[in-house]
Amino acid sequence: MTSTVGAGERSKLLSLEIRDRAALYGAYMPFLTHGGLFIPTQTLYPLGTELFLLLSLLDAPEKFPTAARVVWRTPVGAQGGRKAGLGVAFTEPDCPARSYIERQLAGLKADERPTHTL
């Protein structure tokens, strides 16, 4: 899983690439109203910040442009060795990225593997 934050404090464009199902499983948050993802980054925007994501997911031939909002932050040095990053909620009711993610994760057995989410 790799992420790139746009240059500058005012930039709110993030690119995220997730190439394997285990990483996608660890980052996806189905419990949010429209779904969401954990994005590993050391750039921590304030809660409520609106973001535009360009998501490269698994073997999908196209990127998913996705509107999102910051709903939590994990700072560098967080307890339990948690990875620094942002929890973002998708803001579109019919988010194509969410539909794709849920199709890819359908049928995976929920297990006790830790995730980056809450």
Side-chain angles (χ1 to χ4, degrees), residues 25 105-113:
Y25 173 85
L105 297 180
L108 283 183
K109 181 181 172 192
D111 59 21
E112 298 301 316
R113 285 183 289 173

Side-chain angles (χ1 to χ4, degrees), residues 8-89:
E9 184 65 29
R10 294 179 185 208
S11 178
K12 294 181 179 80
L13 172 66
L14 281 77
S15 294
L16 179 66
E17 181 177 326
I18 301 176
R19 291 294 172 206
D20 66 65
R21 278 191 181 176
L24 185 59
Y25 173 85
Y28 184 57
M29 297 183 288
F31 51 83
L32 295 175
T33 302
H34 303 298
L37 288 170
F38 174 81
I39 299 174
T41 180
Q42 292 186 8
T43 303
L44 301 179
Y45 291 107
L47 294 176
T49 299
E50 297 289 330
L51 303 172
F52 186 75
L53 310 175
L54 287 176
L55 303 174
S56 297
L57 301 171
L58 305 178
D59 59 356
E62 300 174 6
K63 291 185 179 186
F64 293 89
T66 305
R69 179 180 317 105
V70 176
V71 293
W72 102 75
R73 305 172 340 153
T74 303
V76 174
Q79 284 184 278
R82 305 273 277 158
K83 185 176 269 195
L86 301 171
V88 300

Side-chain angles (χ1 to χ4, degrees), residues 97-109:
R98 177 186 183 192
S99 298
Y100 179 82
I101 291 167
E102 290 183 351
R103 280 193 313 271
Q104 297 304 309
L105 297 180
L108 283 183
K109 181 181 172 192

